Amino acid sequence: MSHGKTSYVCLTCRSSYKQPYDRDRQRICPRCSAPLIHVGSAFAVPRRRDIAAWRTLSVLVNAGVGFHKSCCGGPGYRPRTLREVRERMAYARRTGEPAAKALVSQTP
């Protein structure tokens, strides 16, 4: 039985690739040769021309937020717009909560 595939993204090219997960292997973007970032198997790819969605994704990925399945419920809440990201980051600064945790919690 083969293992399922997981998503890797290149934020520069705004592209995503599904490949088998291998912790020891560094994936490289075929377009720009930059390292791909592992985002998880529950990742939904935004359209390449949706720049705002890719900016939101960039903030999430750089904060350490992943899109991994937690059983059957999927990855849980993730901000979908830059406004939601700004609100969650402001909440993190006010409360002292880590950014990655504030970005994935739905209630302020």
Side-chain angles (χ1 to χ4, degrees), residues 65-77:
V65 175
F67 297 84
H68 305 284
K69 292 179 183 175
S70 59
C71 189
C72 301
Y77 172 77

Side-chain angles (χ1 to χ4, degrees), residues 2-100:
S2 68
H3 295 284
K5 293 185 177 184
T6 187
S7 293
Y8 293 85
V9 296
C10 177
L11 297 173
T12 305
C13 298
R14 295 192 305 260
S15 57
S16 173
Y17 304 94
K18 287 261 189 181
Q19 298 180 1
Y21 180 70
D22 183 1
R23 179 179 304 205
D24 300 327
R25 183 174 167 211
Q26 176 66 36
R27 302 290 201 274
I28 303 295
C29 177
R31 291 173 156 227
C32 69
S33 299
L36 293 174
I37 302 166
H38 178 241
V39 290
S41 59
F43 176 67
V45 183
R47 293 187 180 265
R48 182 172 285 135
R49 62 182 169 255
D50 189 353
I51 296 169
W54 281 94
R55 284 184 184 153
T56 302
L57 176 64
S58 177
V59 171
L60 294 173
V61 168
N62 289 324
V65 175
F67 297 84
H68 305 284
K69 292 179 183 175
S70 59
C71 189
C72 301
Y77 172 77
R78 300 291 184 267
R80 303 207 33 103
T81 64
L82 288 172
R83 179 180 179 198
E84 291 176 354
V85 168
R86 282 192 296 271
E87 289 171 356
R88 302 307 308 155
M89 295 301 282
Y91 171 75
R93 284 190 296 275
R94 275 194 321 269
T95 63
E97 188 172 3

